[in-house]
Coordinates of all heavy atoms in Angstrom, one line a residue:
M1 N 13.7 -18.4 -0.2 CA 12.9 -19.4 -1.0 C 11.6 -18.7 -1.4 O 10.9 -18.0 -0.7 CB 12.6 -20.6 -0.2 CG 11.8 -21.6 -0.9 SD 11.8 -23.1 0.1 CE 11.3 -24.2 -1.2
S2 N 11.2 -18.8 -2.7 CA 10.0 -18.1 -3.2 C 8.8 -18.9 -2.9 O 8.8 -20.1 -2.7 CB 10.1 -18.0 -4.7 OG 10.0 -19.2 -5.4
D3 N 7.7 -18.2 -2.8 CA 6.4 -18.8 -2.5 C 5.8 -19.4 -3.7 O 5.6 -18.6 -4.7 CB 5.5 -17.7 -1.9 CG 4.1 -18.1 -1.4 OD1 3.7 -19.2 -1.9 OD2 3.5 -17.4 -0.7
P4 N 5.4 -20.6 -3.8 CA 4.8 -21.2 -5.0 C 3.5 -20.7 -5.4 O 3.0 -20.9 -6.5 CB 4.8 -22.7 -4.7 CG 4.8 -22.8 -3.2 CD 5.6 -21.6 -2.7
Q5 N 2.8 -19.9 -4.4 CA 1.5 -19.3 -4.7 C 1.6 -17.9 -5.1 O 0.6 -17.2 -5.3 CB 0.6 -19.6 -3.6 CG 0.2 -21.0 -3.4 CD -0.8 -21.2 -2.3 OE1 -0.8 -20.5 -1.3 NE2 -1.7 -22.1 -2.5
D6 N 2.8 -17.3 -5.2 CA 3.0 -15.9 -5.6 C 2.3 -15.7 -6.9 O 2.5 -16.5 -7.8 CB 4.5 -15.7 -5.7 CG 4.9 -14.2 -6.0 OD1 4.3 -13.6 -6.9 OD2 5.7 -13.7 -5.2
V7 N 1.6 -14.6 -7.0 CA 0.8 -14.3 -8.2 C 1.5 -13.4 -9.2 O 0.9 -13.0 -10.2 CB -0.6 -13.8 -7.9 CG1 -1.4 -14.8 -7.1 CG2 -0.5 -12.5 -7.1
T8 N 2.8 -13.1 -9.0 CA 3.5 -12.2 -9.9 C 3.5 -12.8 -11.3 O 3.8 -13.9 -11.5 CB 5.0 -12.0 -9.4 OG1 4.9 -11.4 -8.1 CG2 5.8 -11.2 -10.4
G9 N 3.2 -11.9 -12.3 CA 3.2 -12.4 -13.7 C 2.0 -11.8 -14.5 O 1.3 -11.0 -14.0
V10 N 1.9 -12.4 -15.7 CA 0.8 -12.0 -16.6 C -0.2 -13.1 -16.5 O 0.1 -14.3 -16.6 CB 1.4 -11.9 -18.0 CG1 0.2 -11.5 -19.0 CG2 2.5 -10.8 -18.1
W11 N -1.5 -12.6 -16.3 CA -2.6 -13.6 -16.2 C -3.6 -13.2 -17.2 O -4.0 -12.1 -17.4 CB -3.2 -13.4 -14.8 CG -2.4 -13.9 -13.7 CD1 -1.4 -13.2 -13.1 CD2 -2.4 -15.2 -13.1 NE1 -0.8 -13.9 -12.1 CE2 -1.4 -15.1 -12.1 CE3 -3.1 -16.3 -13.2 CZ2 -1.1 -16.2 -11.3 CZ3 -2.9 -17.4 -12.4 CH2 -1.9 -17.4 -11.5
Y12 N -4.2 -14.3 -17.9 CA -5.2 -14.1 -18.8 C -6.4 -14.8 -18.3 O -6.3 -16.0 -17.8 CB -4.8 -14.8 -20.2 CG -3.6 -14.1 -20.8 CD1 -2.4 -14.5 -20.5 CD2 -3.8 -13.2 -21.8 CE1 -1.2 -14.0 -21.1 CE2 -2.7 -12.6 -22.4 CZ -1.4 -13.0 -22.0 OH -0.3 -12.4 -22.6
G13 N -7.6 -14.2 -18.3 CA -8.8 -14.9 -17.8 C -10.1 -14.2 -18.2 O -10.1 -13.4 -19.1
R14 N -11.1 -14.6 -17.5 CA -12.5 -14.1 -17.7 C -13.1 -13.8 -16.3 O -12.7 -14.4 -15.3 CB -13.3 -15.2 -18.4 CG -12.8 -15.5 -19.8 CD -13.8 -16.2 -20.7 NE -14.9 -15.3 -21.0 CZ -14.9 -14.3 -21.9 NH1 -13.8 -14.1 -22.5 NH2 -15.9 -13.6 -22.2
Y15 N -14.0 -12.9 -16.3 CA -14.7 -12.6 -15.1 C -16.2 -12.4 -15.4 O -16.5 -12.1 -16.6 CB -14.2 -11.3 -14.4 CG -14.5 -10.0 -15.1 CD1 -15.7 -9.3 -14.8 CD2 -13.6 -9.5 -16.0 CE1 -16.0 -8.1 -15.4 CE2 -13.9 -8.3 -16.6 CZ -15.1 -7.6 -16.3 OH -15.4 -6.4 -16.9
S16 N -17.0 -12.5 -14.4 CA -18.4 -12.2 -14.6 C -18.9 -11.3 -13.5 O -18.3 -11.4 -12.4 CB -19.3 -13.5 -14.7 OG -19.1 -14.2 -13.5
A17 N -19.8 -10.4 -13.7 CA -20.3 -9.5 -12.7 C -21.8 -9.7 -12.7 O -22.5 -9.6 -13.7 CB -20.0 -8.1 -13.0
D18 N -22.3 -10.1 -11.5 CA -23.8 -10.4 -11.4 C -24.6 -9.2 -11.6 O -25.7 -9.3 -12.2 CB -24.1 -10.9 -9.9 CG -23.4 -12.2 -9.7 OD1 -23.2 -13.0 -10.6 OD2 -23.2 -12.5 -8.5
Q19 N -24.2 -8.0 -11.2 CA -25.0 -6.8 -11.3 C -25.3 -6.4 -12.8 O -26.4 -5.9 -13.1 CB -24.3 -5.6 -10.7 CG -23.0 -5.2 -11.3 CD -22.3 -4.2 -10.5 OE1 -22.4 -4.1 -9.3 NE2 -21.4 -3.4 -11.1
D20 N -24.4 -6.6 -13.7 CA -24.7 -6.2 -15.1 C -24.7 -7.5 -16.0 O -24.8 -7.3 -17.2 CB -23.6 -5.3 -15.6 CG -23.6 -4.0 -14.9 OD1 -24.7 -3.5 -14.5 OD2 -22.5 -3.4 -14.7
Y21 N -24.6 -8.6 -15.5 CA -24.5 -9.9 -16.2 C -23.4 -9.8 -17.3 O -23.6 -10.3 -18.4 CB -25.9 -10.2 -16.9 CG -27.0 -10.2 -15.8 CD1 -27.9 -9.2 -15.7 CD2 -27.1 -11.3 -15.0 CE1 -28.9 -9.2 -14.7 CE2 -28.1 -11.3 -14.0 CZ -29.0 -10.3 -13.9 OH -30.0 -10.3 -13.0
Q22 N -22.3 -9.2 -16.9 CA -21.2 -9.1 -17.8 C -20.4 -10.4 -17.7 O -20.3 -11.1 -16.7 CB -20.2 -8.0 -17.3 CG -20.8 -6.6 -17.4 CD -19.8 -5.6 -16.9 OE1 -18.6 -5.9 -16.8 NE2 -20.2 -4.4 -16.6
D23 N -19.8 -10.8 -18.9 CA -18.8 -11.8 -19.0 C -17.8 -11.3 -19.9 O -18.1 -11.0 -21.1 CB -19.5 -13.1 -19.6 CG -18.5 -14.2 -19.7 OD1 -17.6 -14.3 -18.8 OD2 -18.7 -15.1 -20.6
N24 N -16.6 -11.1 -19.4 CA -15.6 -10.4 -20.1 C -14.2 -11.0 -19.9 O -13.9 -11.5 -18.8 CB -15.6 -8.9 -19.7 CG -15.1 -8.0 -20.8 OD1 -14.6 -8.4 -21.8 ND2 -15.2 -6.7 -20.5
G25 N -13.3 -10.9 -20.9 CA -12.0 -11.3 -20.8 C -11.1 -10.2 -20.2 O -11.5 -9.1 -20.2
F26 N -9.9 -10.6 -19.7 CA -9.0 -9.6 -19.2 C -7.5 -10.1 -19.3 O -7.3 -11.3 -19.4 CB -9.3 -9.2 -17.8 CG -9.0 -10.3 -16.8 CD1 -7.8 -10.5 -16.2 CD2 -10.0 -11.2 -16.4 CE1 -7.5 -11.5 -15.3 CE2 -9.8 -12.2 -15.5 CZ -8.5 -12.4 -15.0
I27 N -6.6 -9.1 -19.2 CA -5.2 -9.4 -19.1 C -4.8 -8.6 -17.9 O -5.0 -7.4 -17.8 CB -4.4 -9.0 -20.3 CG1 -4.9 -9.7 -21.6 CG2 -2.9 -9.2 -20.1 CD1 -4.3 -9.2 -22.8
A28 N -4.2 -9.3 -16.9 CA -3.7 -8.7 -15.7 C -2.2 -8.8 -15.6 O -1.6 -9.9 -15.8 CB -4.3 -9.3 -14.5
L29 N -1.5 -7.7 -15.3 CA -0.1 -7.8 -15.0 C 0.1 -7.5 -13.5 O -0.2 -6.4 -13.1 CB 0.6 -6.7 -15.8 CG 2.1 -6.5 -15.6 CD1 2.9 -7.9 -15.8 CD2 2.7 -5.5 -16.5
L30 N 0.4 -8.5 -12.7 CA 0.5 -8.4 -11.3 C 1.9 -8.5 -10.7 O 2.7 -9.3 -11.3 CB -0.4 -9.5 -10.6 CG -1.9 -9.5 -11.1 CD1 -2.6 -10.6 -10.4 CD2 -2.6 -8.2 -10.7
E31 N 2.1 -7.8 -9.6 CA 3.4 -8.0 -8.9 C 3.0 -8.2 -7.4 O 2.2 -7.4 -6.9 CB 4.2 -6.7 -9.0 CG 5.6 -6.9 -8.4 CD 6.5 -5.7 -8.7 OE1 6.2 -4.9 -9.6 OE2 7.5 -5.6 -8.0
E32 N 3.6 -9.2 -6.8 CA 3.4 -9.5 -5.4 C 4.7 -9.3 -4.6 O 5.8 -9.8 -5.0 CB 2.9 -10.9 -5.2 CG 2.6 -11.3 -3.8 CD 2.1 -12.6 -3.6 OE1 1.5 -13.2 -4.5 OE2 2.2 -13.2 -2.5
L33 N 4.6 -8.7 -3.5 CA 5.7 -8.5 -2.6 C 5.2 -8.8 -1.2 O 4.4 -8.0 -0.6 CB 6.3 -7.1 -2.7 CG 7.6 -6.8 -1.9 CD1 8.7 -7.8 -2.2 CD2 8.0 -5.4 -2.1
R34 N 5.6 -9.9 -0.5 CA 5.2 -10.3 0.8 C 3.7 -10.2 1.0 O 3.2 -9.8 2.0 CB 5.9 -9.4 1.8 CG 7.4 -9.6 1.9 CD 8.1 -8.8 3.0 NE 8.0 -7.4 2.9 CZ 8.9 -6.7 2.1 NH1 9.8 -7.2 1.4 NH2 8.8 -5.4 2.1
G35 N 3.0 -10.7 0.0 CA 1.5 -10.8 0.1 C 0.8 -9.6 -0.4 O -0.4 -9.7 -0.7
A36 N 1.4 -8.5 -0.6 CA 0.8 -7.3 -1.1 C 0.8 -7.4 -2.6 O 1.9 -7.6 -3.2 CB 1.5 -6.0 -0.6
V37 N -0.3 -7.2 -3.3 CA -0.4 -7.3 -4.7 C -0.8 -6.0 -5.4 O -1.8 -5.4 -4.9 CB -1.4 -8.4 -5.1 CG1 -1.6 -8.5 -6.6 CG2 -1.0 -9.8 -4.5
T38 N -0.1 -5.6 -6.4 CA -0.4 -4.4 -7.2 C -0.3 -4.8 -8.6 O 0.3 -5.8 -9.0 CB 0.6 -3.2 -6.9 OG1 1.9 -3.7 -7.2 CG2 0.5 -2.8 -5.5
G39 N -1.0 -4.0 -9.5 CA -0.9 -4.2 -10.9 C -1.9 -3.5 -11.7 O -2.5 -2.6 -11.2
T40 N -2.0 -3.9 -13.0 CA -2.9 -3.3 -13.9 C -3.7 -4.4 -14.6 O -3.3 -5.5 -14.7 CB -2.2 -2.5 -15.0 OG1 -1.3 -3.4 -15.7 CG2 -1.4 -1.3 -14.4
I41 N -4.9 -4.0 -15.0 CA -5.8 -4.9 -15.8 C -6.3 -4.2 -17.0 O -6.6 -3.0 -16.9 CB -7.0 -5.3 -14.9 CG1 -6.6 -6.2 -13.8 CG2 -8.0 -6.1 -15.8 CD1 -7.7 -6.7 -12.9
S42 N -6.2 -4.9 -18.1 CA -6.8 -4.4 -19.4 C -7.9 -5.3 -19.8 O -7.7 -6.5 -19.7 CB -5.7 -4.3 -20.5 OG -4.7 -3.4 -20.1
E43 N -9.0 -4.7 -20.3 CA -10.1 -5.6 -20.7 C -10.8 -4.9 -21.9 O -10.8 -3.7 -22.0 CB -11.1 -5.8 -19.6 CG -11.6 -4.6 -19.0 CD -12.3 -4.8 -17.7 OE1 -11.7 -5.3 -16.7 OE2 -13.5 -4.4 -17.6
P44 N -11.5 -5.7 -22.7 CA -12.2 -5.1 -23.8 C -13.4 -4.2 -23.3 O -14.0 -4.6 -22.3 CB -12.8 -6.3 -24.6 CG -11.9 -7.4 -24.2 CD -11.5 -7.1 -22.8
D45 N -13.7 -3.1 -24.0 CA -14.8 -2.3 -23.7 C -15.8 -2.5 -24.8 O -15.6 -1.9 -25.9 CB -14.4 -0.8 -23.5 CG -15.5 0.1 -23.2 OD1 -16.7 -0.4 -23.1 OD2 -15.3 1.3 -23.0
E46 N -16.8 -3.3 -24.6 CA -17.7 -3.6 -25.7 C -18.5 -2.4 -26.1 O -18.9 -2.3 -27.3 CB -18.6 -4.7 -25.3 CG -17.9 -6.1 -25.1 CD -18.8 -7.2 -24.8 OE1 -20.0 -7.1 -25.0 OE2 -18.3 -8.2 -24.3
A47 N -18.8 -1.5 -25.3 CA -19.5 -0.3 -25.6 C -18.8 0.6 -26.6 O -19.4 1.1 -27.6 CB -19.9 0.6 -24.4
S48 N -17.5 0.8 -26.5 CA -16.8 1.7 -27.4 C -15.9 0.9 -28.4 O -15.4 1.5 -29.4 CB -15.8 2.6 -26.6 OG -14.7 1.8 -26.1
G49 N -15.7 -0.4 -28.2 CA -14.8 -1.2 -29.0 C -13.4 -1.0 -28.7 O -12.5 -1.5 -29.3
G50 N -13.1 -0.2 -27.6 CA -11.8 0.0 -27.2 C -11.3 -0.8 -26.0 O -11.8 -1.9 -25.8
I51 N -10.4 -0.3 -25.2 CA -9.9 -1.0 -24.1 C -10.1 -0.2 -22.8 O -9.9 1.0 -22.8 CB -8.4 -1.3 -24.2 CG1 -8.1 -2.0 -25.5 CG2 -7.8 -1.9 -23.0 CD1 -8.5 -3.5 -25.5
R52 N -10.6 -0.9 -21.7 CA -10.6 -0.2 -20.4 C -9.4 -0.7 -19.6 O -9.0 -1.8 -19.7 CB -11.9 -0.7 -19.7 CG -13.2 -0.1 -20.2 CD -14.3 -0.5 -19.3 NE -14.6 -1.9 -19.4 CZ -15.7 -2.5 -19.0 NH1 -16.6 -1.8 -18.4 NH2 -15.9 -3.8 -19.1
R53 N -8.9 0.2 -18.8 CA -7.8 -0.1 -18.0 C -8.1 0.2 -16.5 O -8.8 1.1 -16.2 CB -6.5 0.7 -18.4 CG -6.1 0.3 -19.8 CD -4.9 1.1 -20.3 NE -4.5 0.6 -21.6 CZ -5.0 0.9 -22.7 NH1 -6.1 1.8 -22.7 NH2 -4.6 0.4 -23.9
A54 N -7.5 -0.6 -15.6 CA -7.7 -0.4 -14.2 C -6.4 -0.7 -13.4 O -5.6 -1.5 -13.8 CB -8.8 -1.3 -13.7
M55 N -6.3 -0.1 -12.2 CA -5.2 -0.4 -11.3 C -5.8 -1.3 -10.3 O -7.0 -1.3 -9.9 CB -4.7 0.9 -10.6 CG -4.2 1.9 -11.5 SD -2.8 1.4 -12.5 CE -1.6 1.3 -11.2
V56 N -5.0 -2.2 -9.8 CA -5.4 -3.2 -8.8 C -4.4 -3.1 -7.6 O -3.2 -3.0 -7.7 CB -5.3 -4.7 -9.4 CG1 -5.6 -5.7 -8.3 CG2 -6.2 -4.8 -10.5
N57 N -5.0 -3.1 -6.4 CA -4.3 -3.2 -5.1 C -5.0 -4.2 -4.3 O -6.2 -4.2 -4.1 CB -4.3 -1.8 -4.4 CG -3.4 -0.8 -5.2 OD1 -2.2 -1.0 -5.2 ND2 -4.1 0.2 -5.8
G58 N -4.2 -5.1 -3.7 CA -4.8 -6.1 -2.8 C -3.8 -6.9 -2.0 O -2.7 -6.5 -1.8
Q59 N -4.3 -8.0 -1.4 CA -3.6 -8.8 -0.5 C -3.9 -10.3 -0.8 O -5.0 -10.6 -1.0 CB -4.0 -8.5 0.9 CG -3.2 -9.2 2.0 CD -1.8 -8.6 2.1 OE1 -1.6 -7.4 1.8 NE2 -0.8 -9.5 2.4
R60 N -2.8 -11.1 -0.9 CA -3.0 -12.5 -1.1 C -2.8 -13.2 0.3 O -1.9 -12.9 1.0 CB -2.0 -13.1 -2.1 CG -2.3 -14.6 -2.3 CD -1.3 -15.2 -3.3 NE 0.1 -15.1 -2.8 CZ 0.7 -15.9 -1.9 NH1 0.0 -16.9 -1.4 NH2 1.9 -15.7 -1.5
D61 N -3.7 -14.1 0.6 CA -3.6 -14.9 1.8 C -3.8 -16.4 1.3 O -4.9 -16.8 1.0 CB -4.7 -14.5 2.8 CG -4.6 -15.3 4.1 OD1 -3.6 -15.9 4.4 OD2 -5.7 -15.3 4.8
G62 N -2.7 -17.1 1.3 CA -2.8 -18.5 0.8 C -3.2 -18.5 -0.7 O -2.6 -17.8 -1.5
A63 N -4.3 -19.2 -1.0 CA -4.8 -19.2 -2.4 C -5.8 -18.2 -2.7 O -6.4 -18.2 -3.8 CB -5.3 -20.6 -2.7
S64 N -6.2 -17.3 -1.8 CA -7.2 -16.3 -2.0 C -6.6 -14.9 -2.2 O -5.6 -14.6 -1.5 CB -8.1 -16.2 -0.8 OG -8.8 -17.4 -0.6
L65 N -7.1 -14.2 -3.1 CA -6.7 -12.8 -3.4 C -7.8 -11.9 -3.3 O -8.8 -12.0 -4.0 CB -6.1 -12.8 -4.9 CG -5.7 -11.4 -5.4 CD1 -4.5 -10.8 -4.6 CD2 -5.3 -11.5 -6.9
S66 N -7.7 -10.9 -2.3 CA -8.7 -9.9 -2.2 C -8.1 -8.6 -2.7 O -7.0 -8.3 -2.5 CB -9.1 -9.7 -0.7 OG -9.6 -10.8 -0.1
F67 N -8.9 -7.9 -3.5 CA -8.4 -6.7 -4.2 C -9.4 -5.6 -4.4 O -10.6 -5.8 -4.3 CB -7.8 -7.1 -5.5 CG -8.8 -7.7 -6.4 CD1 -9.5 -6.9 -7.3 CD2 -9.0 -9.1 -6.5 CE1 -10.5 -7.5 -8.2 CE2 -9.9 -9.7 -7.3 CZ -10.6 -8.9 -8.2
T68 N -8.9 -4.4 -4.7 CA -9.7 -3.3 -5.2 C -9.3 -3.0 -6.6 O -8.1 -2.9 -6.9 CB -9.6 -2.1 -4.3 OG1 -10.0 -2.4 -3.0 CG2 -10.5 -1.0 -4.8
K69 N -10.2 -2.9 -7.5 CA -9.9 -2.6 -8.9 C -10.5 -1.2 -9.2 O -11.7 -0.9 -9.0 CB -10.6 -3.6 -9.8 CG -10.5 -3.4 -11.3 CD -11.2 -4.6 -12.0 CE -11.4 -4.4 -13.4 NZ -12.2 -5.5 -14.0
Q70 N -9.6 -0.3 -9.6 CA -10.1 1.1 -9.9 C -9.8 1.5 -11.4 O -8.7 1.5 -11.8 CB -9.4 2.1 -9.0 CG -9.8 3.5 -9.2 CD -9.3 4.5 -8.1 OE1 -8.5 4.1 -7.3 NE2 -9.7 5.7 -8.2
Y71 N -10.9 1.7 -12.1 CA -10.8 2.0 -13.5 C -10.2 3.4 -13.6 O -10.5 4.3 -12.8 CB -12.2 2.0 -14.2 CG -12.7 0.6 -14.4 CD1 -13.6 0.0 -13.6 CD2 -12.2 -0.2 -15.5 CE1 -14.1 -1.3 -13.8 CE2 -12.7 -1.4 -15.7 CZ -13.6 -2.0 -14.8 OH -14.1 -3.3 -15.1
D72 N -9.5 3.7 -14.7 CA -8.8 5.0 -14.9 C -9.6 5.9 -15.8 O -9.2 7.0 -16.0 CB -7.4 4.8 -15.4 CG -7.3 4.3 -16.8 OD1 -8.4 4.0 -17.5 OD2 -6.2 4.1 -17.3
G73 N -10.8 5.5 -16.3 CA -11.6 6.3 -17.1 C -11.4 6.2 -18.6 O -12.1 6.8 -19.3
T74 N -10.5 5.3 -19.0 CA -10.3 5.1 -20.4 C -11.5 4.3 -21.0 O -12.1 3.5 -20.2 CB -9.0 4.4 -20.8 OG1 -9.0 3.1 -20.0 CG2 -7.8 5.2 -20.4
G75 N -11.8 4.4 -22.2 CA -12.9 3.6 -22.8 C -14.2 4.3 -22.4 O -14.3 5.3 -21.8
A76 N -15.3 3.6 -22.7 CA -16.6 4.1 -22.4 C -17.1 3.6 -21.0 O -18.2 3.9 -20.6 CB -17.6 3.7 -23.4
G77 N -16.2 2.9 -20.3 CA -16.6 2.4 -19.0 C -16.7 3.4 -17.9 O -16.6 4.6 -18.2
P78 N -16.9 3.0 -16.7 CA -17.0 3.9 -15.6 C -15.7 4.7 -15.4 O -14.6 4.3 -15.6 CB -17.2 3.0 -14.4 CG -16.8 1.6 -14.8 CD -16.9 1.6 -16.3
I79 N -15.9 6.0 -15.0 CA -14.8 6.9 -14.7 C -14.4 6.7 -13.3 O -15.1 7.1 -12.4 CB -15.1 8.3 -15.1 CG1 -15.5 8.4 -16.6 CG2 -14.0 9.3 -14.7 CD1 -15.9 9.7 -17.0
A80 N -13.2 6.2 -13.1 CA -12.6 6.1 -11.7 C -13.5 5.4 -10.7 O -13.5 5.8 -9.6 CB -12.1 7.5 -11.2
S81 N -14.3 4.4 -11.2 CA -15.1 3.7 -10.2 C -14.2 2.7 -9.5 O -13.2 2.2 -10.0 CB -16.2 3.0 -10.9 OG -15.8 1.9 -11.7
I82 N -14.5 2.3 -8.3 CA -13.8 1.4 -7.5 C -14.6 0.2 -7.2 O -15.8 0.3 -6.8 CB -13.3 2.0 -6.1 CG1 -12.4 3.2 -6.4 CG2 -12.6 1.0 -5.3 CD1 -12.1 4.0 -5.2
M83 N -14.0 -1.0 -7.5 CA -14.8 -2.3 -7.4 C -14.0 -3.2 -6.5 O -12.8 -3.5 -6.8 CB -15.0 -2.9 -8.7 CG -15.7 -2.1 -9.7 SD -15.7 -2.9 -11.4 CE -16.3 -4.5 -11.1
P84 N -14.6 -3.7 -5.4 CA -13.9 -4.7 -4.6 C -14.1 -6.0 -5.2 O -15.1 -6.3 -5.9 CB -14.6 -4.6 -3.2 CG -16.0 -4.1 -3.6 CD -15.8 -3.2 -4.8
G85 N -13.2 -6.9 -5.0 CA -13.3 -8.3 -5.6 C -12.5 -9.3 -4.8 O -11.7 -9.0 -4.0
M86 N -12.8 -10.5 -5.1 CA -12.1 -11.6 -4.5 C -11.9 -12.7 -5.6 O -12.8 -13.0 -6.3 CB -12.8 -12.2 -3.3 CG -12.0 -13.4 -2.7 SD -12.8 -13.9 -1.1 CE -11.6 -13.1 0.0
W87 N -10.7 -13.2 -5.6 CA -10.4 -14.3 -6.6 C -10.0 -15.5 -5.8 O -9.0 -15.5 -5.0 CB -9.3 -13.8 -7.5 CG -8.9 -14.9 -8.5 CD1 -9.7 -15.7 -9.3 CD2 -7.5 -15.2 -8.8 NE1 -8.9 -16.5 -10.0 CE2 -7.6 -16.2 -9.8 CE3 -6.3 -14.7 -8.4 CZ2 -6.4 -16.8 -10.3 CZ3 -5.2 -15.3 -8.9 CH2 -5.2 -16.3 -9.9
I88 N -10.7 -16.6 -6.0 CA -10.3 -17.9 -5.4 C -10.2 -18.9 -6.6 O -11.2 -19.3 -7.2 CB -11.3 -18.4 -4.4 CG1 -11.5 -17.3 -3.3 CG2 -10.9 -19.7 -3.8 CD1 -12.6 -17.6 -2.3
P89 N -9.0 -19.2 -7.0 CA -8.9 -20.1 -8.2 C -9.5 -21.4 -8.0 O -9.5 -22.0 -6.8 CB -7.3 -20.2 -8.4 CG -6.8 -19.7 -7.1 CD -7.8 -18.9 -6.4
T90 N -10.0 -22.0 -9.0 CA -10.6 -23.3 -9.0 C -9.7 -24.4 -9.3 O -10.0 -25.6 -9.3 CB -11.9 -23.4 -9.9 OG1 -11.5 -23.0 -11.2 CG2 -12.9 -22.4 -9.4
A91 N -8.5 -24.1 -9.8 CA -7.5 -25.1 -10.2 C -6.1 -24.6 -9.6 O -5.9 -23.4 -9.3 CB -7.4 -25.2 -11.7
R92 N -5.2 -25.5 -9.5 CA -3.9 -25.2 -9.0 C -3.2 -24.4 -10.1 O -3.3 -24.7 -11.3 CB -3.1 -26.4 -8.7 CG -3.6 -27.1 -7.5 CD -2.7 -28.2 -7.1 NE -1.4 -27.5 -6.8 CZ -0.5 -28.0 -6.1 NH1 -0.6 -29.2 -5.6 NH2 0.6 -27.4 -5.8
W93 N -2.4 -23.4 -9.7 CA -1.6 -22.7 -10.6 C -0.2 -23.2 -10.5 O 0.8 -23.1 -10.8 CB -1.7 -21.2 -10.5 CG -1.3 -20.7 -9.1 CD1 -0.1 -20.8 -8.4 CD2 -2.2 -19.9 -8.2 NE1 -0.2 -20.2 -7.2 CE2 -1.4 -19.7 -7.1 CE3 -3.4 -19.5 -8.3 CZ2 -1.9 -19.0 -6.0 CZ3 -3.9 -18.8 -7.2 CH2 -3.2 -18.5 -6.1

């Protein structure tokens, strides 16, 4: 039986970062297997007008997703920077 909270799929959303006061959209392609989550994220790079890409690795526990996002250096964004994050949805999926 499949888990109704499995996050496998394509996700469209927005994020904000307190440190740079960023508000940006993203597209995430995620795959979950027994709570382990991997995938990719693409987001606009306002500095260059291009796209930034990142790999995501994390763990889902119930409705919470903890992850590390590592940029691959495309676009004008950070080169291979690693960002920890946590996503707690405010609505049911």
Side-chain angles (χ1 to χ4, degrees):
M1 180 168 198
S2 70
D3 183 342
Q5 293 183 324
D6 186 308
V7 296
T8 297
V10 178
W11 293 83
Y12 298 85
R14 299 197 67 73
Y15 73 88
S16 59
D18 294 334
Q19 65 192 25
D20 296 329
Y21 304 103
Q22 295 179 17
D23 182 29
N24 206 352
F26 68 87
I27 300 172
L29 176 57
L30 303 177
E31 185 173 343
E32 179 179 339
L33 182 59
R34 294 186 295 277
V37 177
T38 59
T40 59
I41 292 179
S42 300
E43 59 192 56
D45 181 359
E46 293 184 18
S48 72
I51 302 292
R52 290 187 290 193
R53 292 179 179 81
M55 300 298 293
V56 175
N57 289 292
Q59 186 72 31
R60 182 184 59 82
D61 182 18
S64 296
L65 174 64
S66 298
F67 61 89
T68 300
K69 176 179 170 185
Q70 182 170 1
Y71 287 100
D72 68 1
T74 58
I79 297 175
S81 69
I82 299 173
M83 301 171 54
M86 178 172 259
W87 175 46
I88 301 172
T90 56
R92 292 191 60 163
W93 58 59

